[in-house]
Amino acid sequence: LLGPDYALIRPEFRQFRKSEITSWEKGLISFGGSDPYNITLLILKTLDCQLEVKKIKWTIIAGAANNHWKSLKDFTKYSQMDITLINQTNQVAMVMANHDFAIGAAGSMAWERSCIGLPSLTIPIEDNQRVGIQHIKHFSLGQTLEVSEITSSVLLTTLKKLEHRANDYLKRNQALVDGYGVDRLSKLLLRNL
Protein backbone atom coordinates (compact mmCIF):
# COMPACT_ATOMS: atom_id res chain seq x y z
CA LEU A 1 0.00 0.00 0.00
CA LEU A 2 2.85 2.33 -0.85
CA GLY A 3 2.96 5.10 -3.39
CA PRO A 4 0.77 8.04 -4.38
CA ASP A 5 -2.34 5.88 -4.86
CA TYR A 6 -2.35 5.46 -1.08
CA ALA A 7 -1.27 8.98 -0.07
CA LEU A 8 -3.27 9.84 3.04
CA ILE A 9 -4.76 13.15 2.01
CA ARG A 10 -7.86 14.74 3.52
CA PRO A 11 -10.88 14.90 1.14
CA GLU A 12 -10.90 18.71 0.98
CA PHE A 13 -7.73 18.66 -1.13
CA ARG A 14 -9.68 16.85 -3.87
CA GLN A 15 -12.41 19.48 -3.66
CA PHE A 16 -9.95 22.29 -4.37
CA ARG A 17 -8.20 20.79 -7.40
CA LYS A 18 -7.15 23.44 -9.88
CA SER A 19 -8.08 23.28 -13.57
CA GLU A 20 -5.29 25.54 -14.84
CA ILE A 21 -2.82 28.23 -13.82
CA THR A 22 -3.78 31.53 -15.44
CA SER A 23 -1.77 34.03 -13.38
CA TRP A 24 1.49 34.23 -11.43
CA GLU A 25 0.66 36.74 -8.74
CA LYS A 26 0.24 34.73 -5.52
CA GLY A 27 3.01 32.64 -4.00
CA LEU A 28 2.69 30.38 -0.97
CA ILE A 29 5.65 29.45 1.24
CA SER A 30 5.31 26.73 3.85
CA PHE A 31 7.84 24.30 5.25
CA GLY A 32 5.50 22.22 7.37
CA GLY A 33 4.55 22.34 10.99
CA SER A 34 7.90 23.27 12.50
CA ASP A 35 10.42 24.41 9.85
CA PRO A 36 13.28 23.63 12.29
CA TYR A 37 15.99 25.37 10.25
CA ASN A 38 13.87 28.45 9.45
CA ILE A 39 14.12 27.87 5.69
CA THR A 40 11.10 30.16 5.28
CA LEU A 41 13.12 33.13 6.49
CA LEU A 42 16.07 32.12 4.30
CA ILE A 43 13.79 32.11 1.24
CA LEU A 44 12.27 35.47 2.17
CA LYS A 45 15.65 37.10 2.71
CA THR A 46 16.90 35.69 -0.59
CA LEU A 47 13.88 37.05 -2.47
CA ASP A 48 13.70 40.42 -0.70
CA CYS A 49 14.60 43.43 -2.88
CA GLN A 50 14.42 41.39 -6.10
CA LEU A 51 12.42 43.36 -8.66
CA GLU A 52 11.05 40.18 -10.24
CA VAL A 53 9.06 39.32 -7.09
CA LYS A 54 7.70 42.78 -6.29
CA LYS A 55 4.39 42.03 -8.03
CA ILE A 56 3.86 38.79 -6.12
CA LYS A 57 1.65 38.62 -3.03
CA TRP A 58 3.24 36.12 -0.66
CA THR A 59 1.50 34.04 1.98
CA ILE A 60 3.48 32.27 4.67
CA ILE A 61 1.96 29.40 6.66
CA ALA A 62 3.89 28.72 9.86
CA GLY A 63 2.71 25.66 11.75
CA ALA A 64 1.92 25.52 15.44
CA ALA A 65 5.32 23.96 16.21
CA ASN A 66 7.25 26.68 14.38
CA ASN A 67 9.59 28.40 16.85
CA HIS A 68 10.54 31.15 14.39
CA TRP A 69 7.28 33.12 14.34
CA LYS A 70 8.89 36.23 15.88
CA SER A 71 11.71 36.32 13.33
CA LEU A 72 9.19 35.97 10.48
CA LYS A 73 7.01 38.71 11.93
CA ASP A 74 10.03 40.99 12.44
CA PHE A 75 11.10 40.41 8.83
CA THR A 76 7.74 41.55 7.46
CA LYS A 77 8.15 44.90 9.23
CA TYR A 78 11.08 46.00 7.07
CA SER A 79 10.65 43.86 3.95
CA GLN A 80 9.55 45.46 0.70
CA MET A 81 7.63 42.30 -0.19
CA ASP A 82 3.85 42.00 0.15
CA ILE A 83 3.62 39.27 2.83
CA THR A 84 0.69 37.79 4.74
CA LEU A 85 1.61 35.60 7.70
CA ILE A 86 -0.67 32.78 8.86
CA ASN A 87 0.12 31.15 12.19
CA GLN A 88 -1.45 27.68 11.94
CA THR A 89 -4.61 27.06 9.96
CA ASN A 90 -7.09 24.27 9.38
CA GLN A 91 -7.81 25.68 5.93
CA VAL A 92 -4.58 24.60 4.19
CA ALA A 93 -6.39 23.21 1.13
CA MET A 94 -8.29 26.43 0.56
CA VAL A 95 -5.15 28.53 1.07
CA MET A 96 -3.23 26.39 -1.43
CA ALA A 97 -6.04 26.62 -3.97
CA ASN A 98 -5.96 30.42 -3.75
CA HIS A 99 -2.33 30.58 -4.87
CA ASP A 100 -0.61 30.25 -8.23
CA PHE A 101 2.49 28.41 -7.01
CA ALA A 102 4.24 27.27 -3.84
CA ILE A 103 7.66 26.85 -2.28
CA GLY A 104 7.85 24.13 0.35
CA ALA A 105 9.42 21.00 1.77
CA ALA A 106 9.19 17.44 0.46
CA GLY A 107 7.06 16.08 3.31
CA SER A 108 3.34 15.32 3.38
CA MET A 109 2.43 18.82 2.16
CA ALA A 110 4.16 17.99 -1.14
CA TRP A 111 1.46 15.38 -1.84
CA GLU A 112 -1.29 17.78 -0.80
CA ARG A 113 0.11 20.33 -3.28
CA SER A 114 0.21 17.56 -5.90
CA CYS A 115 -3.43 16.66 -5.35
CA ILE A 116 -4.51 20.27 -5.79
CA GLY A 117 -2.20 20.73 -8.78
CA LEU A 118 -0.22 23.59 -7.29
CA PRO A 119 3.07 24.04 -9.20
CA SER A 120 5.83 23.85 -6.61
CA LEU A 121 9.47 24.43 -5.95
CA THR A 122 10.28 21.68 -3.48
CA ILE A 123 13.26 21.80 -1.12
CA PRO A 124 14.03 18.81 1.11
CA ILE A 125 14.84 19.87 4.68
CA GLU A 126 15.13 16.48 6.42
CA ASP A 127 16.69 13.16 5.47
CA ASN A 128 13.29 11.43 5.47
CA GLN A 129 12.26 13.70 2.57
CA ARG A 130 14.87 12.23 0.19
CA VAL A 131 12.44 9.64 -1.16
CA GLY A 132 9.83 12.34 -1.81
CA ILE A 133 12.30 14.55 -3.67
CA GLN A 134 13.41 11.56 -5.79
CA HIS A 135 9.77 10.95 -6.81
CA ILE A 136 9.28 14.61 -7.66
CA LYS A 137 12.38 14.52 -9.89
CA HIS A 138 11.59 11.12 -11.43
CA PHE A 139 8.01 12.03 -12.40
CA SER A 140 8.91 15.66 -13.28
CA LEU A 141 6.35 17.06 -10.83
CA GLY A 142 7.99 20.45 -10.32
CA GLN A 143 11.25 22.22 -9.68
CA THR A 144 13.60 21.17 -6.88
CA LEU A 145 16.54 22.73 -5.07
CA GLU A 146 18.79 21.81 -2.20
CA VAL A 147 19.09 24.27 0.70
CA SER A 148 22.78 24.74 -0.20
CA GLU A 149 21.77 25.93 -3.70
CA ILE A 150 19.59 28.81 -2.52
CA THR A 151 20.94 32.08 -3.88
CA SER A 152 19.05 34.99 -5.42
CA SER A 153 19.96 34.13 -9.01
CA VAL A 154 19.31 30.38 -8.67
CA LEU A 155 16.01 30.92 -6.86
CA LEU A 156 14.74 33.41 -9.44
CA THR A 157 15.81 31.20 -12.36
CA THR A 158 14.12 28.19 -10.79
CA LEU A 159 10.88 30.11 -10.18
CA LYS A 160 10.89 31.24 -13.84
CA LYS A 161 11.23 27.60 -14.93
CA LEU A 162 8.35 26.71 -12.62
CA GLU A 163 6.17 29.43 -14.14
CA HIS A 164 7.05 28.39 -17.69
CA ARG A 165 5.88 24.79 -17.08
CA ALA A 166 3.14 25.54 -14.53
CA ASN A 167 0.23 23.87 -16.34
CA ASP A 168 2.32 20.86 -17.29
CA TYR A 169 3.23 20.42 -13.62
CA LEU A 170 -0.41 20.84 -12.60
CA LYS A 171 -1.50 18.00 -14.91
CA ARG A 172 1.38 15.69 -13.97
CA ASN A 173 0.74 16.13 -10.25
CA GLN A 174 -3.00 15.58 -10.47
CA ALA A 175 -2.52 12.49 -12.65
CA LEU A 176 -0.20 10.99 -10.05
CA VAL A 177 -2.03 12.03 -6.84
CA ASP A 178 -5.81 11.88 -7.17
CA GLY A 179 -6.54 12.23 -3.44
CA TYR A 180 -8.44 8.94 -3.03
CA GLY A 181 -5.74 7.20 -0.96
CA VAL A 182 -7.78 7.18 2.26
CA ASP A 183 -10.76 5.66 0.42
CA ARG A 184 -8.62 2.93 -1.14
CA LEU A 185 -6.96 2.11 2.17
CA SER A 186 -10.28 2.06 4.06
CA LYS A 187 -11.85 -0.35 1.54
CA LEU A 188 -8.90 -2.72 1.79
CA LEU A 189 -8.89 -2.63 5.57
CA LEU A 190 -12.63 -3.20 5.83
CA ARG A 191 -12.47 -6.05 3.31
CA ASN A 192 -9.82 -7.81 5.38
CA LEU A 193 -11.62 -7.57 8.73
Side-chain angles (χ1 to χ4, degrees), residues 45-110:
K45 285 182 174 179
T46 305
L47 290 172
D48 200 36
C49 299
Q50 300 296 320
L51 291 175
E52 290 90 340
V53 298
K54 293 286 187 206
K55 63 177 180 154
I56 296 174
K57 293 180 180 180
W58 297 94
T59 301
I60 312 301
I61 298 177
N66 190 313
N67 293 322
H68 308 290
W69 180 255
K70 185 180 181 317
S71 67
L72 293 172
K73 205 163 183 176
D74 289 345
F75 177 83
T76 62
K77 292 176 186 173
Y78 66 82
S79 173
Q80 296 179 35
M81 297 167 65
D82 183 350
I83 302 170
T84 300
L85 287 175
I86 299 175
N87 190 0
Q88 188 60 31
T89 179
N90 294 325
Q91 304 294 320
V92 174
M94 186 173 66
V95 173
M96 283 184 182
N98 287 322
H99 286 79
D100 302 312
F101 66 97
I103 302 173
S108 59
M109 283 184 87

Side-chain angles (χ1 to χ4, degrees), residues 28-177:
L28 173 66
I29 301 174
S30 183
F31 282 87
S34 63
D35 189 8
Y37 311 108
N38 208 1
I39 304 302
T40 302
L41 186 61
L42 172 63
I43 296 289
L44 290 172
K45 285 182 174 179
T46 305
L47 290 172
D48 200 36
C49 299
Q50 300 296 320
L51 291 175
E52 290 90 340
V53 298
K54 293 286 187 206
K55 63 177 180 154
I56 296 174
K57 293 180 180 180
W58 297 94
T59 301
I60 312 301
I61 298 177
N66 190 313
N67 293 322
H68 308 290
W69 180 255
K70 185 180 181 317
S71 67
L72 293 172
K73 205 163 183 176
D74 289 345
F75 177 83
T76 62
K77 292 176 186 173
Y78 66 82
S79 173
Q80 296 179 35
M81 297 167 65
D82 183 350
I83 302 170
T84 300
L85 287 175
I86 299 175
N87 190 0
Q88 188 60 31
T89 179
N90 294 325
Q91 304 294 320
V92 174
M94 186 173 66
V95 173
M96 283 184 182
N98 287 322
H99 286 79
D100 302 312
F101 66 97
I103 302 173
S108 59
M109 283 184 87
W111 306 117
E112 294 168 349
R113 296 190 304 263
S114 288
C115 183
I116 285 180
L118 187 62
S120 299
L121 164 56
T122 307
I123 302 167
I125 61 171
E126 296 287 1
D127 287 341
N128 67 353
Q129 296 180 2
R130 289 283 149 209
V131 172
I133 209 75
Q134 287 171 0
H135 281 89
I136 290 166
K137 289 178 179 180
H138 177 76
F139 291 105
S140 190
L141 300 178
Q143 294 293 314
T144 64
L145 283 177
E146 296 293 328
V147 172
S148 60
E149 297 176 302
I150 298 172
T151 65
S152 294
S153 60
V154 170
L155 193 52
L156 290 174
T157 299
T158 306
L159 288 174
K160 284 179 187 172
K161 289 178 185 176
L162 186 69
E163 181 180 10
H164 180 70
R165 295 190 59 196
N167 282 297
D168 178 45
Y169 289 140
L170 178 149
K171 290 173 189 164
R172 287 174 173 273
N173 278 279
Q174 288 181 344
L176 191 69
V177 183

